[in-house]
Coordinates of all heavy atoms in Angstrom, one line a residue:
E74 N -175.3 -72.7 30.5 CA -174.8 -73.1 29.1 C -173.3 -73.2 29.1 O -172.6 -72.4 29.7 CB -175.3 -72.0 28.2 CG -176.8 -71.8 28.1 CD -177.5 -72.9 27.4 OE1 -176.9 -73.6 26.6 OE2 -178.7 -73.1 27.7
G75 N -172.8 -74.1 28.3 CA -171.4 -74.1 27.9 C -170.5 -74.9 28.9 O -169.3 -74.9 28.8
H76 N -171.1 -75.5 29.9 CA -170.3 -76.2 31.0 C -169.4 -77.3 30.4 O -168.3 -77.5 30.9 CB -171.2 -76.7 32.1 CG -170.5 -77.1 33.3 ND1 -170.1 -78.4 33.5 CD2 -170.2 -76.5 34.4 CE1 -169.5 -78.5 34.6 NE2 -169.6 -77.3 35.3
S77 N -169.9 -78.0 29.4 CA -169.1 -79.1 28.9 C -167.8 -78.8 28.2 O -166.9 -79.5 28.2 CB -170.0 -80.0 28.0 OG -170.4 -79.3 26.9
T78 N -167.8 -77.6 27.6 CA -166.6 -77.2 26.9 C -165.6 -76.4 27.7 O -164.4 -76.4 27.4 CB -166.9 -76.3 25.7 OG1 -167.6 -75.1 26.1 CG2 -167.9 -77.1 24.7
G79 N -166.0 -75.7 28.7 CA -165.1 -74.9 29.6 C -164.5 -73.7 28.9 O -163.4 -73.3 29.3
R80 N -165.1 -73.2 27.9 CA -164.6 -72.0 27.2 C -165.4 -70.8 27.5 O -164.8 -69.7 27.7 CB -164.6 -72.2 25.7 CG -163.9 -73.4 25.1 CD -162.4 -73.3 25.3 NE -161.9 -72.1 24.5 CZ -160.6 -71.8 24.4 NH1 -159.7 -72.5 25.0 NH2 -160.3 -70.8 23.6
W81 N -166.7 -70.8 27.6 CA -167.5 -69.7 28.0 C -168.7 -70.4 28.7 O -169.6 -71.0 28.0 CB -168.0 -68.9 26.8 CG -168.9 -67.8 27.1 CD1 -169.4 -67.4 28.3 CD2 -169.6 -66.9 26.2 NE1 -170.3 -66.3 28.2 CE2 -170.4 -66.0 26.9 CE3 -169.5 -66.8 24.8 CZ2 -171.2 -65.1 26.3 CZ3 -170.3 -65.9 24.2 CH2 -171.1 -65.0 24.9
I82 N -168.8 -70.2 30.0 CA -169.9 -70.8 30.7 C -170.8 -69.6 31.2 O -170.3 -68.7 31.8 CB -169.5 -71.6 31.9 CG1 -168.6 -72.8 31.5 CG2 -170.7 -72.1 32.8 CD1 -168.0 -73.6 32.6
L83 N -172.1 -69.7 30.8 CA -173.1 -68.7 31.2 C -173.9 -69.3 32.3 O -174.5 -70.4 32.1 CB -173.9 -68.3 30.0 CG -175.0 -67.2 30.2 CD1 -175.1 -66.4 29.0 CD2 -176.3 -67.8 30.6
L84 N -174.0 -68.6 33.4 CA -174.9 -69.0 34.5 C -175.9 -67.9 34.7 O -175.6 -66.8 35.0 CB -174.1 -69.2 35.8 CG -172.9 -70.2 35.8 CD1 -172.0 -70.1 37.0 CD2 -173.5 -71.6 35.6
D85 N -177.2 -68.3 34.6 CA -178.3 -67.3 34.7 C -179.0 -67.5 36.1 O -179.5 -68.6 36.3 CB -179.3 -67.5 33.6 CG -180.4 -66.5 33.6 OD1 -180.6 -65.8 34.6 OD2 -181.2 -66.6 32.6
F86 N -178.9 -66.5 36.9 CA -179.5 -66.6 38.2 C -180.7 -65.6 38.3 O -181.1 -65.2 39.4 CB -178.5 -66.2 39.3 CG -177.4 -67.2 39.4 CD1 -176.1 -66.9 38.8 CD2 -177.5 -68.4 40.0 CE1 -175.1 -67.8 38.8 CE2 -176.4 -69.3 40.1 CZ -175.2 -69.0 39.5
G87 N -181.2 -65.1 37.2 CA -182.3 -64.2 37.2 C -181.8 -62.8 37.2 O -181.5 -62.2 36.1
D88 N -181.6 -62.2 38.4 CA -181.1 -60.8 38.5 C -179.6 -60.7 38.1 O -179.1 -59.6 37.9 CB -181.3 -60.3 39.9 CG -182.8 -60.1 40.2 OD1 -183.6 -60.0 39.3 OD2 -183.1 -60.0 41.4
L89 N -178.9 -61.8 38.2 CA -177.5 -61.8 37.9 C -177.2 -62.9 36.8 O -177.7 -64.0 36.9 CB -176.7 -62.2 39.2 CG -175.2 -62.5 39.0 CD1 -174.5 -61.2 38.7 CD2 -174.7 -63.1 40.3
V90 N -176.4 -62.5 35.8 CA -175.9 -63.4 34.9 C -174.4 -63.4 34.9 O -173.7 -62.4 34.8 CB -176.4 -63.1 33.4 CG1 -175.7 -64.0 32.4 CG2 -177.9 -63.1 33.3
V91 N -173.8 -64.6 35.2 CA -172.3 -64.7 35.3 C -171.8 -65.4 34.0 O -172.3 -66.4 33.6 CB -172.0 -65.6 36.5 CG1 -170.5 -65.7 36.6 CG2 -172.5 -65.0 37.8
H92 N -170.8 -64.7 33.5 CA -170.1 -65.2 32.3 C -168.7 -65.6 32.7 O -167.9 -64.7 33.1 CB -170.0 -64.2 31.2 CG -171.3 -63.6 30.7 ND1 -172.0 -64.2 29.7 CD2 -172.1 -62.6 31.2 CE1 -173.1 -63.5 29.5 NE2 -173.2 -62.6 30.4
V93 N -168.3 -66.9 32.6 CA -167.0 -67.3 33.0 C -166.3 -67.7 31.7 O -166.8 -68.6 31.0 CB -167.0 -68.5 34.0 CG1 -165.5 -68.8 34.4 CG2 -167.8 -68.1 35.2
F94 N -165.2 -67.0 31.3 CA -164.6 -67.2 30.0 C -163.2 -67.7 30.1 O -162.4 -67.4 31.1 CB -164.4 -65.8 29.4 CG -165.6 -65.1 28.9 CD1 -166.3 -64.2 29.6 CD2 -166.1 -65.4 27.6 CE1 -167.4 -63.5 29.1 CE2 -167.2 -64.8 27.1 CZ -167.8 -63.8 27.9
H95 N -162.8 -68.4 29.1 CA -161.4 -68.6 28.8 C -161.0 -67.3 28.2 O -161.7 -66.7 27.4 CB -161.2 -69.8 27.7 CG -159.8 -70.2 27.5 ND1 -159.0 -69.5 26.7 CD2 -159.1 -71.2 28.0 CE1 -157.8 -70.1 26.7 NE2 -157.9 -71.1 27.5
P96 N -159.8 -66.8 28.5 CA -159.4 -65.4 28.0 C -159.5 -65.2 26.5 O -160.0 -64.1 26.1 CB -157.9 -65.3 28.4 CG -157.8 -66.2 29.6 CD -158.7 -67.4 29.3
E97 N -159.2 -66.2 25.7 CA -159.3 -66.0 24.2 C -160.8 -65.8 23.8 O -161.1 -65.0 23.0 CB -158.8 -67.2 23.5 CG -157.3 -67.4 23.7 CD -156.8 -68.8 23.3 OE1 -157.6 -69.6 22.8 OE2 -155.6 -69.0 23.4
D98 N -161.7 -66.5 24.5 CA -163.1 -66.4 24.1 C -163.7 -65.0 24.6 O -164.5 -64.4 23.9 CB -163.9 -67.5 24.7 CG -163.6 -68.8 24.0 OD1 -162.4 -69.3 24.2 OD2 -164.4 -69.4 23.3
R99 N -163.2 -64.6 25.8 CA -163.7 -63.3 26.2 C -163.2 -62.2 25.3 O -164.0 -61.3 25.0 CB -163.1 -63.0 27.6 CG -163.6 -61.7 28.2 CD -163.3 -61.6 29.7 NE -163.7 -60.4 30.3 CZ -163.5 -60.1 31.5 NH1 -163.0 -61.0 32.4 NH2 -163.8 -58.9 32.0
L100 N -162.0 -62.2 24.9 CA -161.5 -61.2 23.9 C -162.3 -61.3 22.6 O -162.7 -60.3 22.0 CB -160.0 -61.5 23.7 CG -159.3 -60.4 22.8 CD1 -159.4 -59.1 23.4 CD2 -157.9 -60.9 22.5
Y101 N -162.5 -62.5 22.1 CA -163.2 -62.7 20.8 C -164.7 -62.1 20.9 O -165.1 -61.4 20.0 CB -163.3 -64.1 20.5 CG -164.0 -64.4 19.2 CD1 -163.4 -64.2 17.9 CD2 -165.3 -64.9 19.2 CE1 -164.1 -64.4 16.8 CE2 -166.0 -65.1 18.0 CZ -165.4 -64.9 16.8 OH -166.0 -65.1 15.6
Y102 N -165.4 -62.4 21.9 CA -166.8 -62.0 22.0 C -167.0 -60.6 22.5 O -168.0 -60.0 22.2 CB -167.6 -63.0 22.9 CG -167.8 -64.3 22.2 CD1 -167.1 -65.4 22.6 CD2 -168.7 -64.4 21.1 CE1 -167.2 -66.6 21.9 CE2 -168.8 -65.7 20.5 CZ -168.1 -66.7 20.9 OH -168.2 -67.9 20.2
G103 N -166.0 -60.1 23.2 CA -166.0 -58.6 23.6 C -167.3 -58.1 24.2 O -167.8 -57.1 23.8
L104 N -167.8 -58.8 25.3 CA -169.0 -58.3 25.9 C -168.8 -56.9 26.5 O -169.8 -56.1 26.5 CB -169.5 -59.3 27.0 CG -169.9 -60.6 26.5 CD1 -170.5 -61.4 27.7 CD2 -171.0 -60.5 25.4

Side-chain angles (χ1 to χ4, degrees):
E74 300 289 335
H76 192 271
S77 62
T78 63
R80 300 291 298 184
W81 176 7
I82 299 175
L83 182 144
L84 301 170
D85 181 355
F86 299 99
D88 292 340
L89 170 68
V90 175
V91 179
H92 301 266
V93 186
F94 287 99
H95 190 279
E97 294 166 0
D98 292 68
R99 182 168 176 179
L100 184 63
Y101 179 79
Y102 289 105
L104 292 187

